[in-house]
């Protein structure tokens, strides 16, 4: 089995972004992945195409404060975890509906889009 080239992976990532936009998501442009606003991230890393949901920094920071204080049941911490889990489930379902084969990321939330073997 041949490994896809970097160009092929970037092309796959662009198709994934386009299809997610068609489904109503607004993927964060790759040059803004470090921004605070969050949203759908589609990127190539370690020779794989990754899709993940990132919540806004204000929710992440508030939830982290509660978790650091061992108050994981606080509303803000529950909101952040629920949002992440729900959005990752939705993203996986939408990706599969568009015909992509995915697998969970090894660590954390998110999906790896498996390139076609054709």
């Amino acid at each position: 089995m041949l490994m896809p080239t970097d160009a092929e992976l970037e092309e796959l990532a662009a198709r994934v972004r386009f299809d997610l936009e068609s489904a109503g998501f607004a993927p964060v442009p790759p040059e803004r992945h470090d921004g605070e606003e969050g949203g759908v991230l589609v990127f190539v890393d370690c020779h794989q195409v990754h899709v993940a949901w990132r919540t806004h920094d204000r929710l992440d920071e508030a939830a982290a404060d509660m978790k650091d204080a061992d108050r994981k049941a606080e509303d803000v911490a529950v909101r952040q975890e629920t949002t992440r889990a729900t959005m990752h489930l939705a993203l996986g379902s939408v990706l599969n509906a568009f015909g992509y084969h995915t697998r969970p990321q090894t660590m954390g939330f998110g999906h790896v889009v498996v390139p076609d073997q054709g």
Side-chain angles (χ1 to χ4, degrees), residues 23-109:
F25 291 97
V28 176
E31 65 275 6
R32 292 189 21 224
H33 279 200
D34 291 337
E36 65 180 24
E37 69 270 359
V40 177
L41 307 179
V42 180
F43 57 97
V44 176
D45 186 46
C46 296
H47 211 69
Q48 298 175 322
V49 174
H50 298 266
V51 179
W53 179 264
R54 182 169 168 254
T55 51
H56 194 285
D57 280 357
R58 66 177 161 251
L59 182 58
D60 287 345
E61 290 167 6
D65 289 346
M66 291 297 110
K67 291 174 187 177
D68 289 346
D70 203 25
R71 296 169 59 186
K72 296 178 182 135
E74 291 289 331
D75 286 348
V76 70
V78 172
R79 284 183 202 121
Q80 192 249 6
E81 288 299 321
T82 301
T83 301
R84 281 182 27 179
T86 301
M87 292 308 296
H88 281 104
L89 179 62
L91 282 169
S93 297
V94 169
L95 288 167
N96 290 327
F98 272 82
Y100 294 103
H101 299 284
T102 63
R103 63 176 172 74
Q105 291 193 108
T106 305
M107 296 180 62
F109 286 101

Side-chain angles (χ1 to χ4, degrees), residues 14-29 40 42 94 98:
R15 281 196 320 269
V16 168
R17 278 187 212 94
F18 179 86
D19 287 341
L20 290 174
E21 286 175 9
S22 299
F25 291 97
V28 176
V40 177
V42 180
V94 169
F98 272 82

